[in-house]
Amino acid sequence: MKKISLLFFSLLVLTGCKNNIDKTVVTVQLDYLINTNHTGLYVALEKNFFEDENLNISIIEAATSEPLSAVALNKVDFAYSYEENIIYAHSSTDPLPIQAIYAVVQNNTSGLIYKKNKIQTVQDLAGKTYGTWNSPIEEAIIKTIIKNNNLPENSIDSIVLSNDNVFQNLAGEIDFQWVFYGWDMTNAISKGIDEDYSFLYLQEIDEALNFYTPVIASNKNVDQELAEKFLTALNKGYLYAIDNPIESAEILHKYAPEYDLEHLKHSQIYLSEQYAKDGRLGLMKKDVWQNFYNWMSQNNIVQTEIDVEELYTNEFIK
């Protein structure tokens, strides 16, 4: 019996090693700290959707390297990023060989958050103070607000933020800030303080600001079969998150226990209605890329002529 047991154990070990060896290792780098934009990735990991595609996924949650640079240098296979960063990468003097291959959310869910007792309409932004991270995008957004709403020139001041605690900032000298509804407003809902705040989506300020954020990026030379398998598994993860937001929030909490579970649940319930709001999950539209690129160009954020069809592809979504 002992010899049989040892033989059986040896076969299990060898089988396990073979299964591990047969799987293709794939690395995915997040754009920032783990959050509910990444839920589908962790659901796919937890539900073994990647294993079903014979993939062994390695997730880099935080790194010193910039995700798109890591993709361009083939240090990682895929990375979460944003439409503006894809455009930046192609407008440099040495363009990166990267592309967006999947839109995680099909509409821009970011916007401006502010206290209702200070601001009721866009006109009320005149004379108020914006909390900024000093990015060119933010400066252009403020200029667009002023222009589109006929506010007095230079009527909005800016103060550089010292922390990312939105509610602390809005309790001080900051009057409004750029955030994501799916994270910060749902956090307010989970805390029971949402009645104190209002939210203005960027796409309500200007149609061109309805850009893709986040997206999944790959190297332009990515292996087609690998990309298709990866997106097949990832898509299953996001579809599962759409149909099962509470369970999916609990799965994400397993990988990010530092977050309040109620916050994750409210965030995931909201995002479950946003991932594929305008059609098939992951697919991107040319006019979304074109409109935002035109806006960036008109605001002198980029000065390079770019064919937007070089920035993204839908070919790996099956």
Side-chain angles (χ1 to χ4, degrees), residues 30-179:
L30 303 188
D31 52 317
Y32 189 59
L33 300 177
I34 181 174
N35 58 67
T36 42
N37 280 338
H38 311 126
T39 300
L41 176 67
Y42 285 91
V43 169
L45 176 63
E46 183 73 9
K47 295 293 182 180
N48 297 321
F49 295 151
F50 291 115
E51 285 194 9
D52 293 343
E53 298 297 326
N54 215 31
L55 301 179
N56 183 11
I57 293 295
S58 174
I59 301 173
I60 303 172
E61 294 184 7
T64 55
S65 62
E66 201 283 320
L68 292 183
S69 296
V71 168
L73 295 171
N74 291 312
K75 292 183 177 179
V76 299
D77 297 299
F78 304 100
Y80 280 75
S81 189
Y82 321 99
E83 183 172 336
E84 67 266 34
N85 285 5
I86 302 288
I87 294 174
Y88 281 137
H90 280 261
S91 65
S92 66
T93 54
D94 186 19
L96 298 181
I98 52 90
Q99 61 190 347
I101 61 172
Y102 188 91
V104 175
V105 183
Q106 291 187 322
N107 288 278
N108 187 352
T109 60
S110 71
L112 306 177
I113 187 173
Y114 45 85
K115 276 198 165 183
K116 288 181 179 178
N117 62 2
K118 285 187 177 182
I119 299 169
Q120 283 79 48
T121 69
V122 179
Q123 297 296 320
D124 295 333
L125 295 178
K128 298 299 191 296
T129 300
Y130 171 72
T132 180
W133 297 108
N134 261 348
S135 75
I137 292 283
E138 290 178 290
E139 183 180 348
I141 288 172
I142 296 301
K143 288 181 178 178
T144 298
I145 291 171
I146 291 174
K147 178 183 177 181
N148 290 5
N149 295 280
N150 297 313
L151 302 183
E153 190 174 352
N154 300 319
S155 61
I156 297 176
D157 293 326
S158 295
I159 294 179
V160 178
L161 296 165
S162 59
N163 68 76
D164 57 4
N165 188 320
V166 175
F167 306 119
Q168 181 179 319
N169 293 336
L170 294 178
E173 55 187 342
I174 301 299
D175 295 314
F176 65 109
Q177 190 175 330
W178 183 18
V179 299

Side-chain angles (χ1 to χ4, degrees), residues 193-207:
I193 58 174
D194 54 300
E195 291 297 323
D196 296 335
Y197 300 92
S198 288
F199 190 89
L200 177 66
Y201 287 100
L202 289 191
Q203 57 183 288
E204 296 180 75
I205 295 170
D206 195 295
E207 183 182 0

Side-chain angles (χ1 to χ4, degrees), residues 184-312:
D184 293 292
M185 273 302 288
T186 58
N187 192 17
I189 293 171
S190 71
K191 295 177 184 295
I193 58 174
D194 54 300
E195 291 297 323
D196 296 335
Y197 300 92
S198 288
F199 190 89
L200 177 66
Y201 287 100
L202 289 191
Q203 57 183 288
E204 296 180 75
I205 295 170
D206 195 295
E207 183 182 0
L209 297 178
N210 189 23
F211 52 93
Y212 295 118
T213 175
V215 297
I216 304 293
S218 77
N219 193 294
K220 278 189 171 271
N221 295 319
V222 66
D223 179 80
Q224 180 168 349
E225 183 180 3
L226 178 67
E228 289 177 356
K229 286 184 175 182
F230 172 72
L231 290 188
T232 294
L234 185 73
N235 204 62
K236 288 180 180 178
Y238 279 104
L239 288 173
Y240 192 93
I242 290 172
D243 293 335
N244 306 276
I246 300 300
E247 181 190 348
S248 297
E250 291 169 346
I251 289 173
L252 187 67
H253 190 253
K254 173 182 174 180
Y255 293 92
E258 65 274 19
Y259 293 130
D260 176 66
L261 180 56
E262 287 306 306
H263 175 203
L264 295 183
K265 288 179 180 179
H266 282 286
S267 179
Q268 196 54 52
I269 289 170
Y270 168 79
L271 283 174
S272 69
E273 299 177 352
Q274 304 299 320
Y275 290 130
K277 187 172 183 178
D278 287 347
R280 189 176 173 190
L281 183 59
L283 289 178
M284 294 170 282
K285 301 175 182 177
K286 180 180 178 179
D287 62 337
V288 173
W289 286 89
Q290 190 69 61
N291 291 342
F292 187 55
Y293 163 73
N294 291 345
W295 179 86
M296 290 181 72
S297 181
Q298 290 161 7
N299 283 279
N300 297 313
I301 300 171
V302 295
Q303 298 177 336
T304 306
E305 289 290 332
I306 299 174
D307 178 359
V308 297
E309 291 186 329
E310 293 295 317
L311 305 177
Y312 75 101

